Amino acid sequence: YNEKQRGRWWGDIGIYTYLLVREGCDPEDLRKKFPVLIEKHIGEDLKTAKGKLEFFLEPLKDIHLYSTAKWDQSGYGSIAYVYVFSAIALFILLIACINFMNLTTARSSNRAQEVGVRKAVGAHKANLINQFLGESFLFGLISLLIALGLVEIFLPAFRSLSGSEFTFSNLIGSRIIAALIGLVLFVGFIAGSYPALFLSAFQPSRIFTGRLKDSNANSSFRNVLVVTQFTISIALIVGTVIIFYQLNYMQHKNLGFSNEQIAVFRILDGTMRRSIDSVKRELLNHSGIAGVTVSSIPPGYGARINVFLPEGYDLNQAQMMRSISIDSDFIPTMGLEIAAGRNFSPEISTDRSKSILINQAAARQFGWNDPIGKRIQELDNWDTTKTVVGVVRDFHVESLHHKILPLLIDSEPTRLRFILIKIRPGSLPETLSFLKEKWKEIDPTETFDYWFLDDSESFAWQYHSEQRLSKIFSYFALLAIFIACLGLFGLASFTAEQRTKEIGIRKAMGASISSIVMLLLKEFAKWILIANVIAWPVTYFAMN
């Protein structure tokens, strides 16, 4: 392989390739023809390298949510999030259904006379079940109409939160409307089935003789429902707290390098790159600047991925490695440590073309106890073999989504794209003012644009998914707690109403308001405590 073959060699796979399949063609039949195609165009090269190459097909519409390819198009979503948020939405809906069942059965005595009269004049149990289910469906339909109105109101906030261009017209499609109607019927049946069966089972003789009381079975079932809804609510709260702590950990963990008061500037002009040494000298003359360095990418923001052949490895054992380019000032400016060997030296002219550094993870993976002097060949350029002159202590070149992997560090000047300027403490405004004026001389064609490496906002793009997740979880948790508390408030008020005479007697005997409040709360407090005992361990394992 050489430069003349670039774009024509079948092993050059660093591009996305799209196939338009003919009408009626089975993709599986097409996939079966790939081995013959590979053998024809690159079979000899694969035999020489003792390697293997496989092609697979991925439907374009599946990339966004279902892709599992390691280096697929950036910005795709995850079907896992769809499942998680759908499950949470169903749990919140379940809480609302539980409230409906609890309050309907708790206030059953208010409708007992109606049931008794209807049964006395010949109504069958099936008629009553249909009536109560119909009421539940009607409540569901009214709720759907209100919900659609709320969706229209909150759509701008949703678009801001999700980053999508979802509009109300997306809900007008026939499939969505059918799904919403199905949801109303499903919720109406779930929420109304138990109250319908419970109320329709009342006996007129017991109703009219005043012997209708809340049974132990009904009371126990209601308590189970209270525990269930608060278990869900508490689990959402705990999950939200865990996400916040995880996000805070990601943003503040020591990444293995110093990022305090380091301003980052892009190098967009080739002339500036060629004169970078003189630019650095001019900047270092200012008392507020502690260090200036250049790199292919700021630390923590990723790295190139290339294939390398370490010394002692066969061609079919080539290693995939991250790689970055720096200058000799990068190590001291960023507070990195040399674990073995030395840093790049401006006095050694061959360092830029012949020397490299590796991290400790690379030395471990290659089994090198003494890496200094070992040679590594870059397979993208068969003529390039470089010698390891130093080992850097491990640091994160990517976000904390990725563990520290083998890293190769070179000093290629053509790959340098960023200037990193370390500003001394206490001199920030003055130094930024100096840099703004100086930049007009350094690069008059570009605007004065920079960011700080330790600015939490600069890490937002790395953890935007988690930040969005934390916000959505927060809203879900607040909604779940609000709905659960509405149900608890209804049950508590009903209990107070049922025990009016008892409360009157207790107050007449000198009981304080606080003691009566505690009496009423005690009954529900134990069920909420049980919900905590269930929710905490379940959430721990789920969030892990």
Side-chain angles (χ1 to χ4, degrees):
Y1 172 68
N2 55 52
E3 189 63 30
K4 292 182 180 180
Q5 292 175 294
R6 183 173 294 277
R8 298 194 301 273
W9 185 53
W10 279 67
D12 197 359
I13 56 175
I15 53 175
Y16 296 109
T17 306
Y18 299 89
L19 302 181
L20 181 60
V21 180
R22 292 187 184 279
E23 191 75 26
C25 173
D26 185 351
E28 180 61 24
D29 291 339
L30 178 61
R31 189 191 64 79
K32 291 177 180 178
K33 298 177 180 179
F34 287 159
V36 177
L37 194 70
I38 293 169
E39 177 63 29
K40 175 183 175 182
H41 290 281
I42 197 175
E44 291 301 319
D45 291 336
L46 290 173
K47 289 175 184 175
T48 302
K50 298 179 181 178
K52 184 173 70 171
L53 180 66
E54 292 181 3
F55 294 155
F56 68 95
L57 293 171
E58 180 180 52
L60 192 63
K61 63 184 178 64
D62 288 354
I63 292 177
H64 180 64
L65 292 177
Y66 296 95
S67 178
T68 58
K70 192 171 185 180
W71 289 291
D72 211 334
Q73 297 269 29
S74 60
Y76 58 82
S78 171
I79 191 62
Y81 281 169
V82 177
Y83 291 148
V84 167
F85 292 139
S86 299
I88 292 174
L90 289 174
F91 281 140
I92 292 176
L93 201 57
L94 178 61
I95 293 174
C97 291
I98 288 172
N99 280 349
F100 184 82
M101 287 188 279
N102 265 337
L103 294 176
T104 302
T105 55
R107 303 187 68 84
S108 57
S109 59
N110 294 346
R111 304 199 63 177
Q113 297 290 337
E114 175 194 347
V115 172
V117 171
R118 288 175 63 83
K119 280 196 169 184
V121 297
H124 296 290
K125 185 176 181 179
N127 300 130
L128 294 171
I129 290 175
N130 290 335
Q131 175 195 339
F132 293 127
L133 280 177
E135 291 176 4
S136 179
F137 292 142
L138 181 61
F139 280 128
L141 183 60
I142 294 172
S143 299
L144 174 62
L145 297 176
I146 296 173
L148 290 174
L150 292 174
V151 166
E152 176 70 19
I153 293 171
F154 290 112
L155 260 181
F158 175 80
R159 283 194 290 265
S160 175
L161 178 63
S162 65
S164 68
E165 294 301 320
F166 191 84
T167 62
F168 191 77
S169 61
N170 295 127
L171 292 175
I172 307 303
S174 57
R175 292 174 62 184
I176 299 294
I177 292 175
L180 291 175
I181 293 174
L183 182 64
V184 168
L185 295 175
F186 176 74
V187 170
F189 178 78
I190 294 296
S193 56
Y194 177 72
L197 293 172
F198 176 74
L199 293 172
S200 63
F202 287 166
Q203 298 298 322
S205 59
R206 297 178 64 86
I207 295 171
F208 297 134
T209 57
R211 291 183 290 124
L212 182 66
K213 292 184 179 180
D214 197 14
S215 67
N216 289 333
N218 178 45
S219 179
S220 298
F221 183 69
R222 198 157 59 237
N223 292 334
V224 169
L225 294 179
V226 169
V227 170
T228 301
Q229 66 178 174
F230 272 93
T231 298
I232 296 171
S233 301
I234 293 164
L236 286 175
I237 292 175
V238 176
T240 302
V241 171
I242 290 173
I243 290 174
F244 272 116
Y245 271 101
Q246 179 70 10
L247 189 58
N248 183 71
Y249 172 81
M250 287 178 166
Q251 291 179 328
H252 296 96
K253 183 184 182 297
N254 184 355
L255 298 177
F257 58 87
S258 173
N259 60 0
E260 295 179 0
Q261 293 206 155
I262 293 182
V264 182
F265 299 81
R266 291 182 182 272
I267 304 175
L268 299 176
D269 184 60
T271 304
M272 181 180 177
R273 189 179 300 111
R274 288 189 291 271
S275 60
I276 196 66
D277 290 336
S278 61
V279 170
K280 288 169 60 178
R281 283 193 296 270
E282 288 186 49
L283 294 177
L284 285 170
N285 286 331
H286 192 274
S287 61
I289 295 178
V292 182
T293 184
V294 285
S295 68
S296 57
I297 193 166
Y301 282 74
R304 303 186 303 272
I305 301 175
N306 288 329
V307 182
F308 297 90
L309 188 63
E311 182 179 317
Y313 281 69
D314 293 331
L315 193 58
N316 64 335
Q317 297 175 311
Q319 302 291 304
M320 193 77 75
M321 291 179 65
R322 271 68 176 162
S323 64
I324 61 172
S325 301
I326 64 172
D327 67 354
S328 58
D329 293 316
F330 186 88
I331 300 292
T333 302
M334 302 308 301
L336 299 177
E337 295 182 39
I338 297 292
R342 63 173 177 85
N343 186 17
F344 294 123
S345 173
E347 281 77 37
I348 303 176
S349 59
T350 57
D351 267 4
R352 289 187 173 182
S353 58
K354 297 296 183 181
S355 300
I356 52 170
L357 308 176
I358 62 172
N359 66 351
Q360 293 171 309
R364 286 193 299 269
Q365 179 162 312
F366 303 155
W368 289 348
N369 295 323
D370 183 14
I372 308 304
K374 298 288 188 181
R375 296 163 67 81
I376 297 180
Q377 183 181 9
E378 185 175 354
L379 293 189
D380 277 356
N381 188 344
W382 289 83
D383 297 328
T384 302
T385 300
K386 297 183 178 181
T387 303
V388 177
V389 298
V391 179
V392 180
R393 291 197 183 279
D394 286 338
F395 66 99
H396 286 272
V397 297
E398 299 175 289
S399 72
L400 292 178
H401 294 119
H402 310 276
K403 66 180 181 180
I404 297 177
L405 296 170
L407 175 70
L408 182 145
I409 305 170
D410 63 39
S411 189
E412 290 279 355
T414 58
R415 291 171 173 169
L416 304 176
R417 295 290 184 271
F418 294 87
I419 298 180
L420 292 86
I421 302 174
K422 188 174 183 64
I423 301 174
R424 297 186 191 278
S427 61
L428 188 60
E430 175 196 350
T431 306
L432 286 178
S433 178
F434 161 77
L435 288 172
K436 187 174 183 179
E437 290 300 317
K438 197 66 177 176
W439 217 255
K440 296 176 183 177
E441 303 174 21
I442 295 173
D443 192 1
T445 62
E446 296 298 333
T447 57
F448 182 67
D449 190 18
Y450 67 94
W451 77 89
F452 281 98
L453 208 55
D454 61 346
D455 186 354
S456 61
E457 292 185 5
S458 70
F459 285 89
W461 70 272
Q462 294 178 322
Y463 306 118
H464 71 279
S465 180
E466 285 77 13
Q467 289 176 329
R468 186 179 299 168
L469 191 66
S470 68
K471 289 182 181 179
I472 295 174
F473 254 86
S474 300
Y475 296 143
F476 274 141
L478 288 173
L479 181 61
I481 282 292
F482 176 70
I483 295 173
C485 287
L486 282 179
L488 192 61
F489 175 79
L491 285 177
S493 61
F494 172 74
T495 301
E497 179 185 325
Q498 293 289 90
R499 301 173 69 173
T500 302
K501 292 181 180 179
E502 176 190 348
I503 293 171
I505 295 172
R506 286 180 178 276
K507 292 193 74 174
M509 298 295 290
S512 64
I513 293 178
S514 59
S515 65
I516 293 174
V517 170
M518 290 302 297
L519 177 70
L520 295 175
L521 289 179
K522 183 172 63 176
E523 180 178 347
F524 296 104
K526 64 181 179 181
W527 303 121
I528 295 176
L529 179 61
I530 292 173
N532 271 278
V533 172
I534 297 172
W536 281 79
V538 169
T539 310
Y540 173 82
F541 287 108
M543 295 302 292
N544 204 34

mmCIF file of all heavy atoms in Angstrom, residues 510-539:
data_model
loop_
_atom_site.group_PDB
_atom_site.id
_atom_site.type_symbol
_atom_site.label_atom_id
_atom_site.label_comp_id
_atom_site.label_asym_id
_atom_site.label_seq_id
_atom_site.Cartn_x
_atom_site.Cartn_y
_atom_site.Cartn_z
ATOM 1 N N GLY A 510 -59.115 16.407 75.536
ATOM 2 C CA GLY A 510 -57.900 17.197 75.744
ATOM 3 C C GLY A 510 -56.756 16.899 74.800
ATOM 4 O O GLY A 510 -55.636 17.401 74.999
ATOM 5 N N ALA A 511 -56.980 16.094 73.757
ATOM 6 C CA ALA A 511 -55.888 15.781 72.816
ATOM 7 C C ALA A 511 -55.499 17.029 72.030
ATOM 8 O O ALA A 511 -56.358 17.818 71.627
ATOM 9 C CB ALA A 511 -56.324 14.679 71.857
ATOM 10 N N SER A 512 -54.208 17.201 71.811
ATOM 11 C CA SER A 512 -53.714 18.354 71.046
ATOM 12 C C SER A 512 -53.839 18.082 69.552
ATOM 13 O O SER A 512 -53.988 16.934 69.123
ATOM 14 C CB SER A 512 -52.257 18.633 71.394
ATOM 15 O OG SER A 512 -51.441 17.546 70.997
ATOM 16 N N ILE A 513 -53.781 19.176 68.775
ATOM 17 C CA ILE A 513 -53.870 19.029 67.310
ATOM 18 C C ILE A 513 -52.701 18.203 66.785
ATOM 19 O O ILE A 513 -52.869 17.350 65.914
ATOM 20 C CB ILE A 513 -53.892 20.424 66.650
ATOM 21 C CG1 ILE A 513 -55.190 21.150 67.019
ATOM 22 C CG2 ILE A 513 -53.752 20.305 65.135
ATOM 23 C CD1 ILE A 513 -55.275 22.547 66.459
ATOM 24 N N SER A 514 -51.502 18.443 67.351
ATOM 25 C CA SER A 514 -50.321 17.709 66.877
ATOM 26 C C SER A 514 -50.449 16.207 67.120
ATOM 27 O O SER A 514 -50.053 15.396 66.286
ATOM 28 C CB SER A 514 -49.055 18.241 67.557
ATOM 29 O OG SER A 514 -49.154 18.112 68.964
ATOM 30 N N SER A 515 -51.033 15.826 68.256
ATOM 31 C CA SER A 515 -51.192 14.397 68.545
ATOM 32 C C SER A 515 -52.193 13.752 67.601
ATOM 33 O O SER A 515 -52.023 12.596 67.184
ATOM 34 C CB SER A 515 -51.635 14.192 69.993
ATOM 35 O OG SER A 515 -52.936 14.730 70.213
ATOM 36 N N ILE A 516 -53.253 14.508 67.242
ATOM 37 C CA ILE A 516 -54.239 13.977 66.300
ATOM 38 C C ILE A 516 -53.632 13.850 64.909
ATOM 39 O O ILE A 516 -53.860 12.859 64.191
ATOM 40 C CB ILE A 516 -55.489 14.886 66.273
ATOM 41 C CG1 ILE A 516 -56.207 14.805 67.638
ATOM 42 C CG2 ILE A 516 -56.427 14.480 65.141
ATOM 43 C CD1 ILE A 516 -57.358 15.764 67.789
ATOM 44 N N VAL A 517 -52.830 14.864 64.512
ATOM 45 C CA VAL A 517 -52.148 14.799 63.212
ATOM 46 C C VAL A 517 -51.228 13.584 63.160
ATOM 47 O O VAL A 517 -51.194 12.845 62.173
ATOM 48 C CB VAL A 517 -51.355 16.098 62.953
ATOM 49 C CG1 VAL A 517 -50.449 15.927 61.727
ATOM 50 C CG2 VAL A 517 -52.301 17.267 62.744
ATOM 51 N N MET A 518 -50.468 13.366 64.238
ATOM 52 C CA MET A 518 -49.573 12.214 64.279
ATOM 53 C C MET A 518 -50.350 10.914 64.230
ATOM 54 O O MET A 518 -49.901 9.935 63.608
ATOM 55 C CB MET A 518 -48.720 12.266 65.552
ATOM 56 C CG MET A 518 -47.678 13.373 65.569
ATOM 57 S SD MET A 518 -46.541 13.249 64.170
ATOM 58 C CE MET A 518 -45.777 11.673 64.506
ATOM 59 N N LEU A 519 -51.512 10.878 64.841
ATOM 60 C CA LEU A 519 -52.355 9.685 64.818
ATOM 61 C C LEU A 519 -52.766 9.337 63.392
ATOM 62 O O LEU A 519 -52.729 8.169 62.981
ATOM 63 C CB LEU A 519 -53.601 9.913 65.682
ATOM 64 C CG LEU A 519 -54.635 8.772 65.704
ATOM 65 C CD1 LEU A 519 -54.087 7.574 66.463
ATOM 66 C CD2 LEU A 519 -55.947 9.260 66.326
ATOM 67 N N LEU A 520 -53.137 10.384 62.631
ATOM 68 C CA LEU A 520 -53.580 10.153 61.262
ATOM 69 C C LEU A 520 -52.408 9.810 60.334
ATOM 70 O O LEU A 520 -52.542 9.002 59.406
ATOM 71 C CB LEU A 520 -54.310 11.395 60.736
ATOM 72 C CG LEU A 520 -55.623 11.745 61.458
ATOM 73 C CD1 LEU A 520 -56.184 13.061 60.934
ATOM 74 C CD2 LEU A 520 -56.651 10.633 61.284
ATOM 75 N N LEU A 521 -51.254 10.452 60.600
ATOM 76 C CA LEU A 521 -50.092 10.211 59.741
ATOM 77 C C LEU A 521 -49.447 8.855 59.994
ATOM 78 O O LEU A 521 -48.843 8.271 59.093
ATOM 79 C CB LEU A 521 -49.044 11.312 59.944
ATOM 80 C CG LEU A 521 -49.385 12.696 59.396
ATOM 81 C CD1 LEU A 521 -48.258 13.666 59.708
ATOM 82 C CD2 LEU A 521 -49.619 12.639 57.891
ATOM 83 N N LYS A 522 -49.560 8.380 61.234
ATOM 84 C CA LYS A 522 -48.885 7.146 61.624
ATOM 85 C C LYS A 522 -49.303 5.970 60.745
ATOM 86 O O LYS A 522 -48.467 5.126 60.383
ATOM 87 C CB LYS A 522 -49.183 6.848 63.101
ATOM 88 C CG LYS A 522 -48.460 5.619 63.640
ATOM 89 C CD LYS A 522 -48.665 5.523 65.149
ATOM 90 C CE LYS A 522 -50.134 5.346 65.485
ATOM 91 N NZ LYS A 522 -50.344 5.148 66.943
ATOM 92 N N GLU A 523 -50.566 5.947 60.366
ATOM 93 C CA GLU A 523 -51.064 4.828 59.579
ATOM 94 C C GLU A 523 -50.376 4.750 58.216
ATOM 95 O O GLU A 523 -50.053 3.676 57.728
ATOM 96 C CB GLU A 523 -52.580 4.975 59.388
ATOM 97 C CG GLU A 523 -53.190 3.844 58.579
ATOM 98 C CD GLU A 523 -54.694 4.001 58.443
ATOM 99 O OE1 GLU A 523 -55.285 4.835 59.163
ATOM 100 O OE2 GLU A 523 -55.255 3.285 57.602
ATOM 101 N N PHE A 524 -50.127 5.925 57.600
ATOM 102 C CA PHE A 524 -49.501 5.940 56.275
ATOM 103 C C PHE A 524 -47.979 5.951 56.350
ATOM 104 O O PHE A 524 -47.303 5.505 55.418
ATOM 105 C CB PHE A 524 -49.987 7.158 55.485
ATOM 106 C CG PHE A 524 -51.463 7.121 55.192
ATOM 107 C CD1 PHE A 524 -52.344 7.919 55.902
ATOM 108 C CD2 PHE A 524 -51.969 6.279 54.223
ATOM 109 C CE1 PHE A 524 -53.701 7.885 55.637
ATOM 110 C CE2 PHE A 524 -53.325 6.238 53.949
ATOM 111 C CZ PHE A 524 -54.207 7.044 54.664
ATOM 112 N N ALA A 525 -47.436 6.476 57.456
ATOM 113 C CA ALA A 525 -45.980 6.586 57.582
ATOM 114 C C ALA A 525 -45.313 5.213 57.526
ATOM 115 O O ALA A 525 -44.243 5.063 56.926
ATOM 116 C CB ALA A 525 -45.614 7.288 58.884
ATOM 117 N N LYS A 526 -45.940 4.220 58.129
ATOM 118 C CA LYS A 526 -45.314 2.891 58.141
ATOM 119 C C LYS A 526 -45.251 2.298 56.737
ATOM 120 O O LYS A 526 -44.291 1.607 56.379
ATOM 121 C CB LYS A 526 -46.038 1.961 59.101
ATOM 122 C CG LYS A 526 -47.478 1.651 58.739
ATOM 123 C CD LYS A 526 -48.117 0.732 59.787
ATOM 124 C CE LYS A 526 -49.565 0.426 59.448
ATOM 125 N NZ LYS A 526 -50.203 -0.432 60.472
ATOM 126 N N TRP A 527 -46.288 2.608 55.905
ATOM 127 C CA TRP A 527 -46.274 2.078 54.537
ATOM 128 C C TRP A 527 -45.223 2.792 53.686
ATOM 129 O O TRP A 527 -44.583 2.171 52.831
ATOM 130 C CB TRP A 527 -47.659 2.217 53.896
ATOM 131 C CG TRP A 527 -48.735 1.534 54.696
ATOM 132 C CD1 TRP A 527 -49.840 2.086 55.246
ATOM 133 C CD2 TRP A 527 -48.779 0.145 55.057
ATOM 134 N NE1 TRP A 527 -50.581 1.154 55.926
ATOM 135 C CE2 TRP A 527 -49.954 -0.057 55.820
ATOM 136 C CE3 TRP A 527 -47.948 -0.944 54.801
ATOM 137 C CZ2 TRP A 527 -50.306 -1.289 56.329
ATOM 138 C CZ3 TRP A 527 -48.299 -2.185 55.326
ATOM 139 C CH2 TRP A 527 -49.461 -2.350 56.069
ATOM 140 N N ILE A 528 -45.027 4.078 53.944
ATOM 141 C CA ILE A 528 -43.982 4.822 53.223
ATOM 142 C C ILE A 528 -42.606 4.324 53.648
ATOM 143 O O ILE A 528 -41.678 4.241 52.839
ATOM 144 C CB ILE A 528 -44.139 6.334 53.466
ATOM 145 C CG1 ILE A 528 -45.462 6.815 52.858
ATOM 146 C CG2 ILE A 528 -42.965 7.105 52.875
ATOM 147 C CD1 ILE A 528 -45.775 8.266 53.126
ATOM 148 N N LEU A 529 -42.463 3.974 54.926
ATOM 149 C CA LEU A 529 -41.198 3.422 55.408
ATOM 150 C C LEU A 529 -40.900 2.089 54.718
ATOM 151 O O LEU A 529 -39.766 1.837 54.289
ATOM 152 C CB LEU A 529 -41.253 3.226 56.928
ATOM 153 C CG LEU A 529 -39.993 2.637 57.574
ATOM 154 C CD1 LEU A 529 -38.798 3.559 57.345
ATOM 155 C CD2 LEU A 529 -40.220 2.395 59.067
ATOM 156 N N ILE A 530 -41.925 1.256 54.582
ATOM 157 C CA ILE A 530 -41.761 -0.021 53.877
ATOM 158 C C ILE A 530 -41.381 0.232 52.416
ATOM 159 O O ILE A 530 -40.525 -0.469 51.851
ATOM 160 C CB ILE A 530 -43.054 -0.857 53.972
ATOM 161 C CG1 ILE A 530 -43.283 -1.313 55.414
ATOM 162 C CG2 ILE A 530 -42.992 -2.069 53.032
ATOM 163 C CD1 ILE A 530 -44.621 -1.994 55.644
ATOM 164 N N ALA A 531 -41.996 1.244 51.801
ATOM 165 C CA ALA A 531 -41.662 1.593 50.414
ATOM 166 C C ALA A 531 -40.191 1.978 50.290
ATOM 167 O O ALA A 531 -39.518 1.614 49.315
ATOM 168 C CB ALA A 531 -42.555 2.735 49.934
ATOM 169 N N ASN A 532 -39.652 2.699 51.271
ATOM 170 C CA ASN A 532 -38.231 3.050 51.276
ATOM 171 C C ASN A 532 -37.352 1.812 51.341
ATOM 172 O O ASN A 532 -36.351 1.704 50.630
ATOM 173 C CB ASN A 532 -37.926 3.973 52.462
ATOM 174 C CG ASN A 532 -38.111 5.434 52.122
ATOM 175 O OD1 ASN A 532 -37.236 6.062 51.544
ATOM 176 N ND2 ASN A 532 -39.267 5.966 52.475
ATOM 177 N N VAL A 533 -37.729 0.881 52.211
ATOM 178 C CA VAL A 533 -36.946 -0.343 52.387
ATOM 179 C C VAL A 533 -36.886 -1.134 51.078
ATOM 180 O O VAL A 533 -35.861 -1.737 50.736
ATOM 181 C CB VAL A 533 -37.545 -1.211 53.520
ATOM 182 C CG1 VAL A 533 -36.868 -2.571 53.579
ATOM 183 C CG2 VAL A 533 -37.417 -0.493 54.860
ATOM 184 N N ILE A 534 -37.970 -1.110 50.309
ATOM 185 C CA ILE A 534 -38.003 -1.832 49.025
ATOM 186 C C ILE A 534 -37.265 -1.045 47.944
ATOM 187 O O ILE A 534 -36.480 -1.599 47.165
ATOM 188 C CB ILE A 534 -39.461 -2.086 48.599
ATOM 189 C CG1 ILE A 534 -40.171 -2.988 49.621
ATOM 190 C CG2 ILE A 534 -39.509 -2.707 47.197
ATOM 191 C CD1 ILE A 534 -41.662 -3.127 49.373
ATOM 192 N N ALA A 535 -37.512 0.270 47.890
ATOM 193 C CA ALA A 535 -37.029 1.088 46.767
ATOM 194 C C ALA A 535 -35.518 1.238 46.751
ATOM 195 O O ALA A 535 -34.900 1.192 45.682
ATOM 196 C CB ALA A 535 -37.698 2.464 46.807
ATOM 197 N N TRP A 536 -34.887 1.432 47.908
ATOM 198 C CA TRP A 536 -33.447 1.729 47.930
ATOM 199 C C TRP A 536 -32.605 0.602 47.328
ATOM 200 O O TRP A 536 -31.800 0.863 46.433
ATOM 201 C CB TRP A 536 -32.999 2.052 49.347
ATOM 202 C CG TRP A 536 -33.351 3.451 49.748
ATOM 203 C CD1 TRP A 536 -34.569 3.909 50.163
ATOM 204 C CD2 TRP A 536 -32.490 4.595 49.740
ATOM 205 N NE1 TRP A 536 -34.530 5.241 50.420
ATOM 206 C CE2 TRP A 536 -33.256 5.702 50.176
ATOM 207 C CE3 TRP A 536 -31.162 4.799 49.419
ATOM 208 C CZ2 TRP A 536 -32.731 6.976 50.278
ATOM 209 C CZ3 TRP A 536 -30.625 6.074 49.533
ATOM 210 C CH2 TRP A 536 -31.399 7.152 49.953
ATOM 211 N N PRO A 537 -32.748 -0.644 47.790
ATOM 212 C CA PRO A 537 -31.913 -1.698 47.176
ATOM 213 C C PRO A 537 -32.252 -1.957 45.708
ATOM 214 O O PRO A 537 -31.359 -2.223 44.896
ATOM 215 C CB PRO A 537 -32.201 -2.931 48.040
ATOM 216 C CG PRO A 537 -33.471 -2.638 48.751
ATOM 217 C CD PRO A 537 -33.529 -1.165 48.929
ATOM 218 N N VAL A 538 -33.549 -1.890 45.356
ATOM 219 C CA VAL A 538 -33.936 -2.113 43.957
ATOM 220 C C VAL A 538 -33.304 -1.050 43.064
ATOM 221 O O VAL A 538 -32.754 -1.353 41.995
ATOM 222 C CB VAL A 538 -35.477 -2.094 43.817
ATOM 223 C CG1 VAL A 538 -35.879 -2.054 42.344
ATOM 224 C CG2 VAL A 538 -36.090 -3.307 44.491
ATOM 225 N N THR A 539 -33.352 0.213 43.499
ATOM 226 C CA THR A 539 -32.775 1.307 42.710
ATOM 227 C C THR A 539 -31.271 1.170 42.609
ATOM 228 O O THR A 539 -30.675 1.455 41.559
ATOM 229 C CB THR A 539 -33.136 2.664 43.335
ATOM 230 O OG1 THR A 539 -34.541 2.709 43.573
ATOM 231 C CG2 THR A 539 -32.747 3.803 42.408
#
